[in-house]
């Protein structure tokens, strides 16, 4: 099995998930700055062109960050980062969807339509006029989540989960793109520091990502 890796928060999310589970895979680097992920050699494997993806031993390819992590959890259930029971899995997925639909996807599109427009304008339908509103929604939903985080160590109570990894990678990226967690949001600020101190947060950093200022 091998992983197609690149710059960006989504590949980093999978790397961090793998680091937490001590999973090692053969890695193939894809140049997203050069749009290699949009070319036939890659889109033949992943028609969506997104990063990352994993190629299984039978040659089939899985894409979409959450689907990849779900697969890896099934193959390597310990430590559980989604859940050890039906109830825990459902709770994690509930919060993961809330984080993605209300916060991180709005953050990513706010970036793609503004700071990242030059890179993305020929790769997807961009709406520059929507960027300020999307960024405002992110801040509104962060304040909402901060209120719910009172007394919690992590997004799903006291369990460190995929929801934390998705949110952390998004906002570690977002800090360099002008979208940050306000220090007034004390619960989320403490949460970010807590996740940032994990060894997987350090080991999953793609050194070229910060050097290039690229978040794709």
């Amino acid at each position: 099995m091998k992983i197609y890796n690149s710059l960006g928060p989504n590949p980093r999310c999978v790397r961090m998930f793998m680091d937490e589970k001590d999973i090692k895979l053969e890695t193939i680097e894809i140049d997203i700055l050069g749009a290699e992920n949009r070319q036939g050699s890659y889109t033949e494997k992943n028609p969506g062109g997104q990063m990352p993806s994993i190629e299984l031993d039978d040659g089939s390819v899985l894409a979409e960050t959450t689907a990849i992590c779900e697969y890896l959890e099934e193959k390597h259930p310990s430590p559980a980062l989604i859940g050890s029971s039906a109830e825990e899995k459902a709770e994690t997925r509930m919060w993961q969807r809330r984080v993605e639909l209300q916060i991180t996807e709005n953050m990513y599109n706010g970036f793609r339509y503004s700071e990242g427009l030059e890179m993305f304008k020929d790769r997807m339908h961009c709406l520059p006029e929507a960027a300020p509103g999307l960024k405002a929604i992110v801040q509104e939903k962060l304040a909402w989540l901060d209120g719910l985080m009172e007394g919690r160590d992590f997004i799903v109570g006291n369990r460190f989960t995929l929801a934390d990894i998705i949110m952390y990678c998004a906002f570690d990226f977002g800090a360099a793109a002008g979208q940050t967690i306000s220090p007034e949001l004390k619960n989320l600020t403490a949460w970010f520091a807590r996740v940032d101190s994990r060894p997987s947060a350090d080991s999953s950093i793609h050194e070229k990502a910060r050097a290039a200022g690229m978040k794709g």
Side-chain angles (χ1 to χ4, degrees):
M1 188 160 58
K2 52 193 172 186
I3 181 169
Y4 292 91
N5 183 54
S6 72
L7 306 181
N10 288 326
R12 186 184 179 193
C13 177
V14 173
R15 292 196 305 271
M16 189 169 174
F17 191 89
M18 290 168 54
D19 287 340
E20 287 281 340
K21 289 179 172 288
D22 196 28
I23 298 171
K24 309 296 183 186
L25 297 180
E26 176 187 353
T27 300
I28 298 174
E29 294 293 335
I30 300 295
D31 178 15
I32 63 170
L33 293 178
E36 185 181 359
N37 59 310
R38 302 290 175 162
Q39 297 170 13
S41 59
Y42 182 73
T43 57
E44 288 172 3
K45 297 179 181 294
N46 176 12
Q50 300 99 334
M51 296 298 300
S53 60
I54 60 172
E55 185 171 340
L56 308 185
D57 292 339
D58 65 1
S60 59
V61 174
L62 295 177
E64 306 297 339
T65 300
T66 300
I68 293 170
C69 291
E70 293 265 5
Y71 175 81
L72 294 174
E73 176 105 344
E74 290 290 333
K75 291 293 187 179
H76 305 269
S78 182
L81 296 176
I82 297 173
S84 299
S85 65
E87 292 77 13
E88 285 186 354
K89 291 174 183 177
E91 187 181 28
T92 300
R93 290 166 180 148
M94 174 182 72
W95 281 104
Q96 170 205 317
R97 291 292 285 166
R98 288 171 173 170
V99 163
E100 289 180 320
L101 293 177
Q102 301 192 56
I103 299 175
T104 61
E105 190 58 28
N106 288 321
M107 192 201 80
Y108 291 146
N109 282 330
F111 167 74
R112 292 170 184 139
Y113 299 167
S114 53
E115 295 88 355
L117 184 61
E118 187 60 30
M119 176 177 176
F120 287 97
K121 62 183 176 61
D122 296 324
R123 305 186 186 191
M124 61 184 294
H125 187 170
C126 292
L127 300 170
E129 67 277 12
L134 291 170
K135 293 179 180 182
I137 290 171
V138 170
Q139 294 306 313
E140 291 169 5
K141 294 303 181 180
L142 284 175
W144 166 79
L145 182 58
D146 185 75
L148 297 175
M149 289 285 290
E150 184 67 36
R152 299 185 189 181
D153 287 338
F154 301 108
I155 292 173
V156 188
N158 291 318
R159 288 192 295 121
F160 179 73
T161 69
L162 177 59
D164 297 292
I165 295 175
I166 290 171
M167 180 89 157
Y168 169 79
C169 291
F171 278 92
D172 197 40
F173 151 82
Q179 296 191 64
T180 60
I181 296 172
S182 169
E184 295 179 1
L185 302 179
K186 302 298 186 183
N187 295 320
L188 280 179
T189 298
W191 162 85
F192 185 90
R194 196 173 295 121
V195 179
D196 193 54
S197 69
R198 298 180 75 89
S200 63
D202 183 62
S203 61
S204 67
I205 292 174
H206 196 300
E207 60 277 4
K208 293 181 181 178
R210 287 189 169 178
M214 170 51 225
K215 316 87 193 168

